[in-house]
């Protein structure tokens, strides 16, 4: 029996899903939230994605805005609560949420699960609150004390999953055991449909950046930065890879993806690089709307990226993908295939920058049958 009964869902008017999701998380989670909405069309589903850091870091506020744009485009979610830059702003969200009078609140967080349980009860005195918590939380000894705000807690039993399972298998088990929702294997993998209105923006950007009609070779999408230094590749490594690939075919075009806070610095270095090497490389960052990013990825002939949402978008768009990942949480890796390969950092400190340019280049050639 699921934690939340069918009767509770049938009588539920509003459900709040609390999870500090990143772009990659939401790509997979939305499959289950949308399926829940299809099964219980009367429920208004809201999402709280505020990570409760309450600071003014531009990257997190920008990512939050992008996520909210995406969530709005799905046309399924009634209201979203984005990241805030102060405790007073977060409290304003809580006061706004109180007015929604939620019947069910589902908290899903690896870290800060205690804080989210408390926030959920601050939002509603009467809601049925379920908190999905990590197995390691106080070794279970103090769960009743720490999660007293919740009606029920849920801990994923990883041992019941296959050793080589995917993140979608984890989410399928969570949503099944908490909400009684279960999807067949063929419906688990993510989809990402780009609105038609974005296509002219993408074509205009590509035409402006790669205007030489005699050099319209393969379009390669590159991403070397993440939100964690241990998962970053160096810009110098990226430039070296571009040089090696361009030496085989100078008509190939390269998109270097960065976040807004890195755009100026990477653009300056890239201009120096392209002037010196006569390669076709342009720096991209989302300007107005989230879907500018997946639209460009969908146009790419090949994607090389470190462990960020980019690899998941490329996988969802079924683009040829070479991803660089650390040997942690392998269930986030896309399934291996002829057009999808994960290269793990197995040397040195196990950081992404320990993966050599030559190793990436050789794999690129192999996947493109150029060796």
């Amino acid at each position: 029996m699921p934690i939340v009964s069918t009767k509770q869902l049938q009588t539920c008017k509003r459900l709040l899903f609390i999870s500090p999701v990143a772009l990659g998380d939401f790509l997979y989670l939305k499959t289950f939230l949308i399926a829940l909405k299809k099964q219980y069309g009367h429920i208004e589903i809201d999402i709280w994605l505020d990570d409760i850091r309450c600071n003014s870091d531009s990257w997190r506020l920008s990512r939050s805005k992008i996520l909210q744009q995406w969530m709005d485009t799905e046309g399924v979610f009634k209201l979203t609560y984005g990241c805030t830059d102060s405790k007073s702003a977060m409290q304003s969200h809580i006061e706004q949420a109180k007015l929604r009078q939620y019947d069910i609140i589902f908290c899903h967080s690896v870290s800060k699960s205690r804080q989210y349980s408390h926030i959920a009860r601050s939002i509603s005195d009467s809601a049925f609150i379920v908190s999905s918590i990590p197995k390691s939380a106080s070794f279970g000894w103090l769960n009743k004390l720490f999660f007293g705000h919740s009606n029920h807690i849920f801990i994923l039993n990883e041992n019941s999953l296959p050793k080589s399972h995917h993140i979608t298998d984890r989410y399928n088990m969570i949503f099944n055991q908490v909400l009684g929702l279960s999807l067949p294997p063929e419906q688990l993998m993510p989809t990402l449909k780009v609105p038609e209105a974005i296509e002219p923006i993408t074509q205009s950007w590509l035409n402006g950046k790669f205007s030489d009609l005699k050099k319209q070779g393969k379009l390669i999408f590159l991403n070397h930065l993440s939100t964690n230094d241990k998962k970053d590749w160096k810009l110098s490594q990226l430039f070296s890879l571009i040089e090696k690939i361009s030496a085989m075919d100078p008509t190939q075009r390269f998109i270097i993806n960065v976040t807004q806070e890195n755009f100026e610095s990477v653009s300056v270095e890239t201009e120096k690089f392209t002037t010196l090497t006569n390669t076709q490389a342009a720096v991209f960052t989302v300007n107005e709307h989230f879907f500018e990013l997946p639209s460009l990825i969908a146009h790419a002939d090949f994607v090389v990226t470190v462990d960020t949402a980019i690899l998941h978008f490329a996988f969802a768009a079924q683009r040829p993908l070479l991803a660089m990942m650390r040997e942690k949480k392998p269930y986030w890796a896309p399934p291996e295939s002829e057009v999808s390969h994960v290269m793990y950092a197995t040397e040195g400190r196990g950081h992404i920058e320990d993966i050599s340019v030559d190793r990436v280049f050789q794999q690129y050639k192999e996947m493109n049958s150029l060796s």
Side-chain angles (χ1 to χ4, degrees):
M1 293 292 290
I3 294 171
V4 181
S5 70
T6 300
K7 183 177 180 180
Q8 285 176 294
L9 290 168
Q10 289 173 339
T11 58
C12 174
K13 293 181 179 179
R14 299 180 187 88
L15 181 149
L16 178 62
F17 181 69
I18 296 181
S19 185
V21 293
L23 292 164
D25 300 311
F26 183 66
L27 177 66
Y28 297 104
L29 277 168
K30 75 180 182 71
T31 300
F32 300 92
L33 293 170
I34 291 172
L36 180 67
K37 177 65 175 179
K38 287 182 179 179
Q39 187 169 340
Y40 298 97
H42 63 281
I43 300 179
E44 293 183 357
I45 300 176
D46 296 348
I47 300 179
W48 178 292
L49 59 103
D50 187 3
D51 58 17
I52 62 175
R53 299 186 191 185
C54 297
N55 62 43
S56 57
D57 287 345
S58 59
W59 68 266
R60 58 181 288 275
L61 297 175
S62 175
R63 185 180 69 179
S64 175
K65 178 183 176 182
I66 288 171
L67 267 163
Q68 288 184 279
Q69 286 181 335
W70 183 5
M71 291 172 179
D72 289 344
T73 304
E74 291 293 337
V76 172
F77 310 109
K78 186 72 174 181
L79 185 65
T80 60
Y81 304 87
C83 287
T84 53
D85 58 5
S86 65
K87 289 184 178 181
S88 61
M90 189 182 74
Q91 185 60 41
S92 178
H93 272 177
I94 292 174
E95 296 303 320
Q96 182 183 9
K98 285 181 179 179
L99 300 176
R100 295 286 287 157
Q101 298 181 333
Y102 294 107
D103 300 296
I104 299 170
I105 301 179
F106 179 16
C107 303
H108 175 68
S109 172
V110 175
S111 62
K112 301 181 180 178
S113 49
R114 289 169 56 189
Q115 292 94 318
Y116 285 108
S117 174
H118 178 74
I119 288 172
R121 187 54 72 198
S122 298
I123 289 172
S124 175
D125 292 330
S126 59
F128 185 83
I129 299 172
V130 180
S131 289
S132 176
I133 68 174
K135 179 177 64 176
S136 59
S138 303
F139 303 98
W141 298 333
L142 300 175
N143 282 346
K144 288 186 178 180
L145 175 63
F146 288 161
F147 300 99
H149 302 291
S150 297
N151 296 91
H152 208 293
I153 61 173
F154 171 78
I155 301 174
L156 177 68
N157 180 9
E158 295 187 33
N159 294 329
S160 63
L161 289 165
K163 186 177 180 180
S164 59
H165 69 272
H166 187 250
I167 184 62
T168 51
D169 297 310
R170 298 171 77 90
Y171 286 154
N172 200 27
M173 179 174 287
I174 291 169
F175 275 81
N176 176 250
Q177 296 187 10
V178 174
L179 296 169
L181 185 73
S182 183
L183 299 181
E186 64 271 16
Q187 294 182 17
L188 294 181
M189 290 304 168
T191 57
L192 189 58
K193 185 177 180 180
V194 178
E196 292 182 4
I198 301 296
E199 179 62 21
I201 299 173
T202 301
Q203 287 295 344
S204 177
W205 190 91
L206 288 171
N207 293 338
K209 297 298 182 181
F210 306 110
S211 57
D212 190 341
L213 297 179
K214 296 181 180 180
K215 299 176 69 175
Q216 296 294 311
K218 285 186 176 180
L219 185 66
I220 303 173
F221 193 97
L222 306 167
N223 183 77
H224 68 295
L225 296 175
S226 69
T227 57
N228 184 334
D229 292 345
K230 296 177 182 179
K231 298 195 296 182
D232 290 348
W233 217 34
K234 293 180 180 178
L235 184 58
S236 59
Q237 292 174 302
L238 197 71
F239 286 161
S240 180
L241 179 65
I242 291 173
E243 280 194 275
K244 288 178 178 293
I245 296 175
S246 290
M248 297 186 300
D249 180 2
T251 70
Q252 294 187 85
R253 300 163 294 160
F254 301 88
I255 300 171
I256 301 175
N257 178 73
V258 295
T259 52
Q260 289 184 353
E261 61 267 23
N262 293 298
F263 180 77
E264 185 174 351
S265 61
V266 175
S267 294
V268 169
E269 294 303 315
T270 301
E271 185 175 357
K272 294 177 184 177
F273 169 72
T274 55
T275 300
L276 181 65
T277 61
N278 197 31
T279 51
Q280 292 192 106
V283 182
F284 168 79
T285 192
V286 172
N287 185 30
E288 294 293 336
H289 200 283
F290 156 73
F291 277 103
E292 295 170 13
L293 173 60
S295 179
L296 267 184
I297 292 173
H299 278 75
D301 296 296
F302 201 92
V303 177
V304 180
T305 180
V306 298
D307 184 7
T308 68
I310 303 301
L311 77 85
H312 304 296
F313 294 158
F315 172 62
Q318 299 181 347
R319 307 318 301 150
L321 168 67
L322 173 54
M324 292 177 276
M325 298 182 67
R326 302 180 71 206
E327 289 188 304
K328 292 187 176 183
K329 299 182 179 180
Y331 50 81
W332 279 106
E336 191 81 9
S337 71
E338 291 183 359
V339 295
S340 177
H341 178 76
V342 176
M343 183 172 288
Y344 289 102
T346 57
E347 299 177 354
R349 301 161 298 170
H351 294 183
I352 297 300
E353 66 179 41
D354 294 325
I355 299 176
S356 70
V357 174
D358 283 339
R359 186 180 165 200
V360 175
F361 179 57
Q362 291 302 320
Q363 183 63 41
Y364 172 84
K365 288 200 299 180
E366 182 178 331
M367 294 179 70
N368 283 274
S369 301
L370 295 174
S371 56

